[in-house]
Amino acid sequence: MSKVKYMMNKSIALSVLLALVSMSLLVLTGTANAGQNSVEKRQKDTEMMAAASAICKTFTGAPKISINKEGNIVVFQGSNQGDHMYNEGYTLCNTGSPARYSNSFGDSGFGAASCNCVGNTCKVTRNTTDGKMSLVQELSKPTNFDRSFNIKMTVKNLTGANINSVILRRLATVDINSAIDEWHDATRDSVSAWGTKADAIPFAVKLRHITKSPTTTVSEAKVVSFNNTSCNPPDQAIAGPVFGDFDSTVQYNLGTLGPNASKSVSVQYLRD
């Protein structure tokens, strides 16, 4: 083999080796930054949400809570703590219609919202885009120092015919101190998300059922998959607490709504 040909082959081999090394470093860097990229995506999503939302009211105290004009909680922040609420909202379903939902990033199946506040109570009213039902939310914070936030939801049939298999869900992606992963578990009436002292986020947020009218309404608290706005998602914590990025929900199976009839439920958010 001539010296020139040998040098050419050596140069080609060296180029291939350098390319392989570069690809390996790229893979390693991507793996190392996977968590960071997830955090950066959350930050960008939150910035988009803040830009898109028109704040209806901010309730001062601990926690400080802001709601947008659609009745979604966009800030839920305790004293000397970060924001615990990444995404929050509701889903409304019935037979023959796709799931209608509203959360901190957008909605589907609902018309324009009106938000009016008196003191520490706000009333948000919306109709479904098909004109079949209305949803009225009454959101209130008892005192500046109360650690709870109450939401009453009333669904009304606006038609002269029965609406069947009506389901209403309150839902939230709780990120303790804006951490993406935390512990989640549910009992019959409440669902909790919490961090630990070992993770330096020793805080918790609970969503719980309070009242329902009629009292025979079937309700269930569940841990469900992230950003799940479907009508009846499965409980991810049937076998016990789970760690990761999950949603909290309380689901009400309202059943049949007769002509011009309405049914009401109430939930409450609590921080420790």
Side-chain angles (χ1 to χ4, degrees):
M1 179 185 296
S2 68
K3 185 175 182 181
V4 172
K5 188 173 183 180
Y6 170 78
M7 292 301 293
M8 289 176 63
N9 289 342
K10 183 177 180 181
S11 177
I12 293 171
L14 182 59
S15 298
V16 172
L17 178 61
L18 289 173
L20 290 173
V21 171
S22 297
M23 290 174 65
S24 299
L25 288 174
L26 183 61
V27 170
L28 290 172
T29 301
T31 302
N33 289 340
Q36 180 181 353
N37 290 339
S38 296
V39 173
E40 289 174 353
K41 180 180 183 301
R42 280 294 177 93
Q43 290 172 343
K44 290 177 181 177
D45 286 347
T46 303
E47 290 169 2
M48 290 171 60
M49 178 268 291
S53 297
I55 299 299
C56 177
K57 183 175 176 65
T58 295
F59 301 82
T60 57
K64 180 182 77 173
I65 296 170
S66 294
I67 62 170
N68 63 16
K69 60 184 178 63
E70 289 78 25
N72 310 123
I73 297 174
V74 295
V75 174
F76 191 97
Q77 184 175 3
S79 299
N80 301 315
Q81 300 174 18
D83 187 13
H84 299 319
M85 195 69 71
Y86 173 70
N87 188 27
E88 201 274 341
Y90 43 88
T91 291
L92 178 62
C93 302
N94 68 277
T95 298
S97 298
R100 310 169 185 88
Y101 69 89
S102 177
N103 59 35
S104 305
F105 298 101
D107 54 35
S108 176
F110 284 100
S114 65
C115 182
N116 299 289
C117 304
V118 177
N120 271 352
T121 299
C122 293
K123 185 176 182 179
V124 176
T125 303
R126 308 190 74 176
N127 289 349
T128 58
T129 52
D130 58 14
K132 291 182 177 180
M133 291 185 284
S134 68
L135 174 64
V136 176
Q137 303 172 75
E138 296 174 55
L139 306 99
S140 62
K141 193 168 187 291
T143 68
N144 280 351
F145 300 102
D146 198 297
R147 294 187 174 192
S148 64
F149 189 69
N150 303 316
I151 304 174
K152 180 181 178 181
M153 298 179 287
T154 300
V155 179
K156 183 177 181 179
N157 180 353
L158 301 177
T159 75
N162 286 346
I163 300 179
N164 299 315
S165 302
V166 179
I167 294 175
L168 177 64
R169 290 177 52 215
R170 197 78 200 188
L171 52 95
T173 305
V174 176
D175 283 352
I176 301 298
N177 258 29
S178 298
I180 294 176
D181 297 327
E182 55 280 303
W183 287 98
H184 302 261
D185 199 10
T187 63
R188 183 188 66 178
D189 286 341
S190 67
V191 55
S192 300
W194 70 93
T196 66
K197 292 181 179 179
D199 296 325
I201 49 171
F203 311 114
V205 173
K206 176 183 289 188
L207 169 62
R208 65 175 182 168
H209 155 70
I210 298 295
T211 64
K212 51 192 177 184
S213 178
T215 56
T216 53
T217 300
V218 176
S219 61
E220 182 184 10
K222 297 187 283 188
V223 175
V224 300
S225 57
F226 169 70
N227 199 30
N228 193 321
T229 57
S230 64
C231 300
N232 185 25
D235 191 346
Q236 303 295 316
I238 287 291
V242 292
F243 183 81
D245 194 13
F246 295 94
D247 280 9
S248 301
T249 191
V250 176
Q251 177 176 319
Y252 294 91
N253 298 332
L254 301 180
T256 298
L257 275 178
N260 300 307
S262 62
K263 294 183 179 181
S264 298
V265 301
S266 296
V267 299
Q268 183 181 71
Y269 285 100
L270 288 168
R271 60 159 284 258
D272 65 355

